[in-house]
Amino acid sequence: MAEYSKIESALIHGGIYGDAATGAVNVPIYQTSTYEQPELGRNSGWEYSRTGNPTRAALEALIAELEGGTAGFAFGSGMAAITAVLSLFQAGDRVIISSNVYGGTFRVLDKVFRNFGLGYEIVDTTDLQLLEARITPEVKAILVESPANPLLTVTDLAGVARIAKAHGVLSIVDNTFMTPYLQRPIALGIDIVLHSATKYLGGHSDLIAGLVVVNDDALAERMAFIQNATGGVLGPFDSFLLIRGIKTLGVRLDRHVANAECAAAFLQLHKAVKKVYYPGLPDAQGYEVNRRQAKNGGAMISFELHKNYDVRRFFRSLRLIALAESLGGVESLVCHPASMTHASIPKDIRDRVGITDGLIRLSIGIENIDDLLQDLERAIEESEVR
Ligand SMILES: *Cc1c(COP(=O)(O)O)cnc(C)c1O
């Protein structure tokens, strides 16, 4: 057993390290669906790869250790992970979600789970008093993101955990934007942490995966049952890729965040920029709360250009930063929430909550910061309507 106490080392040595049979320093890709049984009624601990696979098990042990939980579960996408967590509930139950959860989370609740009688309620979870007032006997869980897309809104996670415990409901955090390197919700009292590992954990925009971590044996047993029963598991090769991605999470995020802090400061000082949303800026909503519960502001930034700048022309003028959905990869990406990630929300509601047509979301990568700032500067300049 490797000995270490810091998360940078856990990223590399955590979970199940290497291969005891050969000494290989990486967990092999066990590309198998089944396992030979020595005799009737006996097996080697592995039966069938939907139920368990050694490569996936290594990843599951790793994410459980990183998040400080008792058990981890790997799924074929973030949405499969969220679907598995929502499968804990039943008809008549309700789930409170924060007003700006990931669009897919809202969609699966509204268009799939509602058909099975699971209700949901949208609450501004930045207001803990409001949150507590909305808990009825039917509410069985509170699901939040912090910071949340696309305005990087911060919710007090310890506060959510406290309210959930007081009312006997489960607290669930989608920790995709922060990862355990920057924020560990279970240490703040949260019951379930989930991830779209497609983003920072994978980190290279080359896989789709989801993870769930729980901190309670009974809950772990129920999640294992749901994972096996519904079957949305992550394959061995993608499990391997994700373990490989996680090893460099610390160094990647250090650079992501350093770049993002520079870019946020640059944008805030720019005369073309009306507003910058970044939890690492002292005047940001929830700055103090975020400082208490996370290492820093992360690497997602949203900003709004003044009216005399043409957003379409801005996107067209970028020559390094790519226009694309998704986030968290080594390459910088930019998106237009109003027409891309949040297009399904009616325009009047979008405008009211601040997702205006001029809003631009940046996932800051790990390129050289000078190149990134130059690309932003040129695109802003070329987008000015004279
Ligand atoms: C991308 C994302 C998801 C969905 O994950 P997939 O891997 O795309 O299925 C869920 N939550 C957040 C915050 C995300 O950014």
Side-chain angles (χ1 to χ4, degrees):
M1 267 305 274
E3 210 175 298
Y4 53 83
S5 61
K6 306 286 190 206
I7 191 161
E8 289 83 352
S9 313
L11 291 168
I12 296 155
H13 296 275
I16 295 160
Y17 182 78
D19 179 42
T22 61
V25 297
N26 288 300
V27 176
I29 302 168
Y30 283 89
Q31 196 71 43
T32 187
S33 61
T34 192
Y35 309 81
E36 187 176 343
Q37 308 190 359
E39 63 174 295
L40 266 184
R42 276 212 309 144
N43 64 51
S44 54
W46 306 99
E47 282 175 272
Y48 186 61
S49 279
R50 169 158 39 75
T51 320
N53 172 281
T55 317
R56 194 178 90 221
L59 168 65
E60 292 174 331
L62 175 59
I63 193 63
E65 179 176 332
L66 296 176
E67 288 288 5
T70 54
F73 303 90
F75 296 89
S77 70
M79 284 320 304
I82 290 165
T83 296
V85 168
L86 293 176
S87 302
L88 288 166
F89 307 107
Q90 44 187 306
D93 289 351
R94 284 176 87 74
V95 177
I96 288 179
I97 53 175
S98 48
S99 31
N100 34 33
V101 286
Y102 180 70
T105 304
F106 169 74
R107 183 174 56 194
V108 78
L109 276 164
D110 189 57
K111 297 284 192 290
V112 180
F113 281 97
R114 210 160 59 127
N115 297 337
F116 295 87
L118 176 63
Y120 67 87
E121 187 156 1
I122 300 171
V123 176
D124 175 3
T125 55
T126 61
D127 183 343
L128 292 179
Q129 272 185 330
L130 180 70
L131 171 63
E132 185 152 30
R134 297 291 279 275
I135 297 182
T136 59
E138 292 74 37
V139 169
K140 295 294 187 298
I142 306 166
L143 193 169
V144 303
E145 292 170 30
S146 183
N149 204 15
L151 300 174
L152 289 317
T153 326
V154 172
T155 287
D156 180 343
L157 300 182
V160 169
R162 185 167 18 85
I163 290 170
K165 279 200 173 52
H167 293 268
V169 310
L170 287 174
S171 52
I172 306 166
V173 169
D174 180 335
N175 203 26
T176 300
F177 275 32
M178 288 312 231
T179 84
Y181 186 67
L182 301 184
Q183 175 169 280
R184 296 177 15 118
I186 285 173
L188 301 168
I190 295 294
D191 297 307
I192 302 178
V193 174
L194 60 88
H195 286 278
S196 168
T198 310
K199 316 293 168 54
Y200 289 104
L201 292 174
H204 296 75
S205 307
D206 56 5
L207 66 90
I208 299 279
L211 296 169
V212 174
V213 177
V214 300
N215 195 31
D216 170 276
D217 290 340
L219 208 48
E221 207 170 302
R222 289 173 66 201
M223 278 310 304
F225 179 84
I226 289 168
Q227 184 189 40
N228 183 52
T230 60
V233 295
L234 190 65
F237 183 68
D238 282 349
S239 296
F240 165 84
L241 271 184
L242 190 45
I243 292 170
R244 175 176 148 131
I246 289 172
K247 285 182 198 288
T248 57
L249 181 70
V251 287
R252 280 190 286 113
L253 268 175
D254 285 348
R255 176 67 163 264
H256 276 291
V257 172
N259 279 355
E261 286 172 350
C262 276
F266 163 84
L267 290 168
Q268 201 173 35
L269 289 172
H270 204 293
K271 66 171 179 19
V273 176
K274 188 172 163 199
K275 178 141 181 67
V276 180
Y277 300 90
Y278 178 63
L281 290 172
D283 60 353
Q285 176 276 337
Y287 171 76
E288 284 301 331
V289 171
N290 189 69
R291 229 166 57 127
R292 272 205 310 275
Q293 67 190 15
K295 198 171 184 173
N296 52 50
M300 296 298 298
I301 300 172
S302 288
F303 67 99
E304 196 180 344
L305 290 171
H306 281 296
K307 282 227 164 5
N308 55 323
Y309 290 81
D310 182 342
V311 181
R312 188 169 288 275
R313 223 189 283 174
F314 170 83
F315 287 115
R316 215 187 301 133
S317 305
L318 290 167
R319 289 184 213 161
L320 174 64
I321 304 172
L323 175 63
E325 306 255 3
S326 199
L327 59 110
V330 289
E331 63 287 296
S332 294
L333 300 178
V334 69
C335 91
H336 184 233
S339 70
M340 294 167 74
T341 50
H342 292 68
S344 58
I345 302 169
K347 179 167 162 55
D348 57 318
I349 298 179
R350 280 204 311 263
D351 284 341
R352 199 171 59 230
V353 299
I355 308 170
T356 60
D357 289 345
L359 190 76
I360 295 164
R361 190 191 79 181
L362 277 169
S363 169
I364 298 288
I366 65 172
E367 299 94 339
N368 186 288
I369 186 64
D370 297 342
D371 288 330
L372 292 176
L373 296 186
Q374 201 167 55
D375 202 35
L376 288 171
E377 175 63 46
R378 185 188 37 240
I380 290 173
E381 208 172 289
E382 290 178 13
S383 67
E384 186 173 2
V385 183
R386 289 168 211 278

